[in-house]
Amino acid sequence: MKTNGRNINVERTVDRILARIDAFIEGEKLARLPSPQARAAIDAQIGHSSNSVRLASLFLVFYSTVDAAWNCNSIPTGIRGQWGDKRLATALGLRNITLHNAITAFGENLGWKGNVTAARLQGDNRFDGLSHALASMTPDDRERAADYMAARFAESRRVIAPLPPVGDDVLTFARARLLFYNLIGIPSESVREHHAGLHSFRSISLIDARRRNASALRFRLSQSLTSRLHRPSHANVRSTTQRFGRTTNPFA
């Protein structure tokens, strides 16, 4: 199904993948396992050395549950780009999923560029087994396989703690913050309640600084005025000619 030139089934597939992974992250358990043959095919793809193959396999298994008309052999159009592989990889990264090792464009990495209508999964040793397995599965088994794969990806979620445990003698940001508020007499657990007090403290400091600046300015002005009072005036400092007139003989 295409809308405005886009394969809407690609977008629906990404939405479904993320919804199922989110459910397993939140604690949902697998209700049913896929058949042994389907599980073996999925495990082979998850254990593949290529991160792009693992992520593409996740997409293809879910795509088989969304597009009932798909032959499980051709490459779905629109798999690359902002609605397909890039959106999926970015969303998994935001969820701290690590099974795909943060690759961002599996379609391009796998060589699915330009017009992919002639490309086939069967005959490609990276996907041949998966393609045949999907083609032989019932719709119910595809649903089970998709959930199984989503659960495996959810298991790879790794949230790194912002800071490992440290000794009491190590000054962390949190400890420095607590020390600061203790110094100014504001308990850290009620910082927001005492924000007005902190603002008052800052205001007093500002007023004190302005007072000191004003005193310094008055001192400088006083020095300037004293200097002017002790400076000889122009009227008192006249030349001999100015005081006695010309001393030369005007008739000489």
Side-chain angles (χ1 to χ4, degrees):
M1 181 185 299
K2 292 186 177 181
T3 302
N4 296 327
R6 298 203 314 259
N7 183 356
I8 196 66
N9 286 326
V10 167
E11 299 177 45
R12 289 175 176 172
T13 298
V14 174
D15 289 339
R16 188 134 192 255
I17 291 172
L18 298 177
R20 295 309 295 146
I21 287 179
D22 285 345
F24 288 116
I25 288 175
E26 292 169 5
E28 183 177 324
K29 304 298 182 183
L30 275 174
R32 302 174 301 168
L33 287 173
S35 67
Q37 295 82 0
R39 186 174 177 181
I42 298 301
D43 286 341
Q45 297 305 110
I46 290 176
H48 199 282
S49 60
S50 169
N51 301 310
S52 295
V53 168
R54 291 196 291 269
L55 189 54
S57 298
L58 172 69
F59 178 89
L60 293 171
V61 171
F62 268 89
Y63 192 83
S64 71
T65 68
V66 173
D67 187 354
W70 183 50
N71 61 12
C72 301
N73 189 17
S74 60
I75 310 298
T77 57
I79 195 172
R80 291 183 58 228
Q82 61 176 327
W83 309 110
D85 58 354
K86 291 183 179 178
R87 178 179 170 227
L88 176 58
T90 300
L92 292 180
L94 293 173
R95 288 163 171 76
N96 299 300
I97 302 298
T98 62
L99 192 55
H100 65 304
N101 201 25
I103 60 104
T104 57
F106 65 78
E108 182 176 353
N109 295 340
L110 295 170
W112 298 341
K113 303 177 182 179
N115 188 356
V116 297
T117 55
R120 293 292 180 266
L121 297 173
Q122 294 177 10
D124 183 337
N125 58 11
R126 301 169 298 182
F127 299 99
D128 184 78
L130 177 66
S131 176
H132 281 96
L134 288 174
S136 65
M137 290 182 197
T138 64
D140 180 66
D141 218 15
R142 289 181 185 178
E143 294 286 349
R144 297 187 189 189
D147 264 6
Y148 176 73
M149 205 163 196
R152 293 293 302 274
F153 268 78
E155 287 175 351
S156 75
R157 186 171 185 255
R158 297 291 181 271
V159 180
I160 301 175
L163 188 69
V166 296
D168 294 337
D169 59 335
V170 178
L171 182 64
T172 63
F173 173 79
R175 291 173 182 172
R177 182 172 177 270
L178 177 63
L179 177 61
F180 169 74
Y181 285 115
N182 283 341
L183 287 174
I184 63 173
I186 301 177
S188 60
E189 66 272 11
S190 57
V191 170
R192 292 187 179 180
E193 296 177 4
H194 291 81
H195 180 73
L198 180 58
H199 179 73
S200 177
F201 172 78
R202 291 174 176 170
S203 298
I204 293 172
S205 299
L206 182 60
I207 293 171
D208 185 58
R210 288 177 175 172
R211 185 181 294 113
R212 289 196 301 269
N213 290 337
S215 298
L217 178 60
R218 286 196 298 271
F219 178 73
R220 289 196 299 272
L221 290 175
S222 176
Q223 281 188 321
S224 176
L225 180 59
T226 302
S227 176
R228 288 177 177 272
L229 290 175
H230 287 83
R231 185 184 303 166
S233 66
H234 185 70
N236 295 330
V237 185
R238 296 183 298 167
S239 66
T240 304
T241 302
Q242 290 172 321
R243 284 183 290 151
F244 301 104
R246 294 183 61 183
T247 58
T248 57
N249 188 348
F251 301 103

